[in-house]
């Protein structure tokens, strides 16, 4: 049974390896080396052949891939972005995860979150690979703890932000101009919109030069300060798709549609991704592209052969 972050269609690499979300690179490597030694054949000389095979599968199919993601700069950054998005999702809808673990439920009601979280992680991780038949159970409990930790930390971060408007309002009580600005919200939204427009404008300039990586950086900075901007998530998903990073394109496309189901850019990316995953849909999309490009194909040209596949959708589609 899946639990924790696994319920949100996210591979919880931290849970697989058995260390906390707050661990640094040195701690992660130390934990990985310990687990790798524990599952190595030389450490299992007295175990049955079945247990040795199970250990080998755990190491090659789960532990090594998890560490590879977290140890590589690019994939680690992408995973961190995904974690932040899942944290926002959980903060808004905590009931998305069914917390069956007593430790996770206790953490959700704790006033000393970080200390209890670290202690619980260490307790489970210390025995995580002792019984190889119970590894899944331990990983799932660790994943529930990670989900609970993200929810609690999001709540703690939101407290100062929630108190600021009241403090500001009390300080501006004597100023009619300030009161009007605070009530209407006219000053700050306009400034915020201007900042977003600047990011998007620069991203479009880089897109025109086909420098998608720099355009992506611009939009990621925009989302760091404006995480609930559907246009930014949608545009970022489009650039990820153009650069061939379909996983990240899918992540930001889903976020954009969650914020604004009618966003046309996100809908277009969704259609492109669906066509790429479905060979029949991809062939149909390629055929439509060929029909739009030229109404009367040259004699002997096979329908759908021109510009087929996902790459034609990335670089040959309509630009907005």
């Amino acid at each position: 049974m899946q639990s924790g972050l696994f319920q949100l269609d996210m591979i919880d690499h931290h849970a697989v390896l058995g260390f906390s979300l707050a661990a640094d690179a040195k701690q992660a490597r130390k934990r990985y080396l310990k687990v790798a030694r524990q599952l190595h054949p030389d450490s299992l000389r007295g175990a049955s052949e079945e247990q040795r095979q199970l250990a080998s599968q755990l190491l090659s199919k789960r532990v090594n891939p998890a560490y590879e993601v977290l140890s590589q700069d690019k994939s680690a950054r992408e995973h961190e972005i995904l974690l932040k998005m899942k944290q926002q999702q959980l903060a808004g809808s905590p009931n998305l995860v069914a917390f069956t673990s007593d430790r996770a439920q206790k953490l959700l009601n704790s006033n000393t979150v970080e200390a209890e979280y670290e202690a619980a992680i260490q307790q489970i991780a210390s025995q995580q690979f002792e019984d190889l038949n119970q590894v899944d159970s331990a990983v799932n409990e660790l994943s529930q703890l990670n989900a609970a930790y993200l929810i609690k930390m999001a709540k703690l971060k939101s407290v100062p932000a929630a108190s600021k408007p009241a403090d500001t309002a009390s300080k501006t009580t004597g100023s009619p101009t300030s009161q009007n600005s605070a009530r209407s919200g006219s000053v700050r939204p306009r400034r915020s919109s201007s900042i977003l427009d600047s990011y998007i404008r620069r991203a479009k300039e880089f897109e025109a030069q086909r420098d998608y990586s720099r355009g992506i950086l611009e939009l990621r900075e925009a989302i760091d300060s404006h995480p609930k901007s559907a246009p930014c998530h949608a545009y970022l998903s489009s650039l990820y798709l153009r650069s061939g990073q379909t996983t990240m394109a899918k992540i930001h496309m889903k976020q954009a549609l969650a914020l604004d189901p009618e966003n046309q850019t996100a809908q277009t990316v969704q259609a492109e991704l669906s066509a790429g995953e479905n060979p029949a849909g991809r062939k149909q999309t390629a055929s439509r592209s060929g029909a739009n490009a030229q109404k009367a194909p040259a004699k002997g040209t096979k329908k759908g052969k021109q510009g087929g596949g996902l790459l034609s959708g990335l670089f040959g589609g309509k630009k907005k």
Side-chain angles (χ1 to χ4, degrees), residues 20-247:
S20 82
L21 297 174
D24 59 26
K26 289 184 178 180
Q27 290 173 309
R29 178 167 174 76
K30 184 178 179 180
R31 173 61 181 174
Y32 165 71
L33 291 175
K34 181 178 180 180
V35 173
R37 284 195 298 269
Q38 197 170 354
L39 296 177
H40 194 274
D42 290 344
S43 301
L44 297 167
R45 290 176 180 174
S48 66
E49 182 61 26
E50 181 183 358
Q51 290 294 296
R52 289 164 64 88
Q53 288 182 1
L54 181 55
S56 177
Q57 289 178 0
L58 285 169
L59 183 61
S60 63
K61 294 183 179 180
R62 302 187 69 180
V63 172
N64 285 344
Y67 184 67
E68 185 175 352
V69 169
L70 297 177
S71 61
Q72 301 295 324
D73 288 342
K74 181 180 177 181
S75 56
R77 284 196 302 269
E78 292 177 351
H79 187 69
E80 184 178 356
I81 292 170
L82 183 57
L83 268 176
K84 287 181 180 179
M85 293 173 62
K86 294 302 180 185
Q87 184 177 35
Q88 294 170 10
Q89 187 179 2
L90 283 168
S93 304
N95 59 349
L96 288 174
V97 172
F99 292 101
T100 58
S101 162
D102 291 339
R103 289 187 178 97
Q105 291 175 2
K106 183 180 178 182
L107 187 64
L108 287 170
N109 298 310
S110 172
N111 293 322
T112 55
V113 181
E114 295 182 76
E116 288 194 29
Y117 169 67
E118 292 290 346
I121 291 288
Q122 290 178 17
Q123 287 173 5
I124 300 170
S126 64
Q127 301 177 345
Q128 184 177 1
F129 294 96
E130 292 295 329
D131 183 349
L132 299 184
N133 293 315
Q134 297 298 317
V135 170
D136 281 344
S137 177
V139 171
N140 285 334
E141 186 170 10
L142 287 166
S143 189
Q144 285 191 43
L145 279 168
N146 288 341
Y149 175 73
L150 289 175
I151 291 172
K152 291 292 290 186
M153 294 307 292
K155 288 181 178 179
L156 289 174
K157 289 178 182 179
S158 69
V159 171
S163 65
K164 283 182 180 179
D167 294 340
T168 303
S170 63
K171 290 178 182 178
T172 59
T173 303
S175 173
T177 303
S178 299
Q179 286 177 344
N180 292 336
S181 297
R183 282 195 297 267
S184 64
S186 59
V187 176
R188 189 169 181 177
R190 188 159 53 239
R191 183 180 177 185
S192 175
S193 177
S194 176
I195 293 172
L196 279 177
D197 288 343
S198 297
Y199 280 117
I200 292 174
R201 184 180 66 252
R202 288 193 295 270
K204 286 183 177 179
E205 290 173 357
F206 289 127
E207 181 188 13
Q209 301 167 19
R210 292 200 173 185
D211 190 349
Y212 301 123
S213 60
R214 294 179 70 182
I216 286 170
L217 287 175
E218 289 290 338
L219 291 170
R220 281 175 56 172
E221 287 183 14
I223 288 173
D224 280 343
S225 55
H226 301 83
K228 294 187 178 181
S229 170
C232 280
H233 280 288
Y235 190 14
L236 181 56
S237 72
S238 176
L239 290 189
Y240 270 127
L241 186 58
R242 285 180 175 274
S243 65
Q245 301 181 59
T246 55
T247 300

Side-chain angles (χ1 to χ4, degrees), residues 272-292:
E272 290 284 352
L273 288 170
S274 297
E277 293 173 354
N278 182 358
R282 182 167 65 246
K283 186 175 180 181
Q284 188 176 13
T285 302
S287 299
R288 287 202 195 101
S289 299
N292 291 334

